[in-house]
Amino acid sequence: MTQARRGPRERMVFSAAQLIRRQGVAATGMREVAAHADAPRGSLQHYFPGGKEQLVNEAVAWAGRYAGKRVDRFLAGLDRPTPSGLFAAMAAQWADEYAADGFAAGCPVAAATVDCAASGDSTREAAATAFATWRGPVAEALTGMGVPPSRAESLATLMISALEGAILMARAERDVRPLTTVVKELGPLLDAATVR
């Protein structure tokens, strides 16, 4: 569904995620979210009576669901799905974005975690849930490729952690090299975990 066909609530959640991934939670204002979403300012209180914290938490949850749903799309794009191929596709999404648009944006879940983990339990919990929502489909995909279930979740955690770290380093260095490095180094380890 395109942004224009979403209702104002959905547009504001999406816009909050987009703004948070570029400028962090603290620098993202409610009015700015409404303007970005082309939604009436008065609708903020209507849809988000819990204020900015509620909106941030919903944006983080949206980002976790989005990342989890991307796993199937990545797999569909692989001729022969392998753990290293899946991880390479996950990293390529970021490398492609950085090549096209620069290094301004990161993961909204990571941004919210950095900005809010120490100050608010609800946002920390929303971020933990978002990472779990992403990790589940990655682990399921790994199991489908022959990784034993006893290792799939830990390898999914490794993949997401390495990717998030590489995203941060790529942004800091303004270079996709950290992304290509983690793909190159983790690929053999991930593929070696298959038992088929």
Side-chain angles (χ1 to χ4, degrees):
M1 183 178 351
T2 65
Q3 176 76 339
R5 291 177 45 205
R6 294 180 177 134
R9 186 179 202 294
E10 293 80 14
R11 291 195 316 267
M12 286 187 281
V13 169
F14 174 80
S15 289
Q18 299 312 304
L19 293 169
I20 290 167
R21 71 190 292 259
R22 285 178 174 73
Q23 57 198 35
V25 172
T28 299
M30 295 285 280
R31 289 181 179 158
E32 183 183 14
V33 170
H36 186 273
D38 194 28
R41 266 191 5 208
S43 62
L44 285 165
Q45 187 61 32
H46 172 72
Y47 291 118
F48 305 101
K52 184 174 179 178
E53 185 174 350
Q54 179 187 357
L55 177 58
V56 168
N57 294 349
E58 290 192 30
V60 166
W62 174 88
R65 289 189 306 273
Y66 176 82
K69 290 176 186 173
R70 293 281 302 169
V71 173
D72 284 339
R73 288 187 228 156
F74 293 141
L75 290 173
L78 299 175
D79 291 333
R80 191 177 70 83
T82 61
S84 64
L86 173 59
F87 187 59
M90 291 166 64
Q93 170 191 351
W94 288 95
D96 293 348
E97 177 180 333
Y98 292 151
D101 300 328
F103 294 86
C107 172
V109 180
T113 302
V114 169
D115 281 3
C116 300
S119 63
D121 277 344
S122 71
T123 301
R124 182 196 52 75
E125 290 168 7
T129 299
F131 281 125
T133 301
W134 183 11
R135 185 174 51 242
V138 173
E140 186 178 311
L142 292 173
T143 302
M145 290 182 266
V147 173
S150 61
R151 289 207 59 208
E153 188 164 329
S154 62
L155 287 178
T157 297
L158 176 64
M159 291 166 69
I160 293 169
S161 299
L163 180 61
E164 288 287 1
I167 291 166
L168 287 171
M169 291 178 71
R171 291 182 73 195
E173 296 173 8
R174 298 210 171 284
D175 191 330
V176 297
R177 185 187 51 76
L179 291 163
T180 58
T181 299
V182 294
V183 167
K184 177 183 168 193
E185 296 297 331
L186 278 185
L189 179 134
L190 295 171
D191 288 341
T194 61
V195 294
R196 291 183 199 167

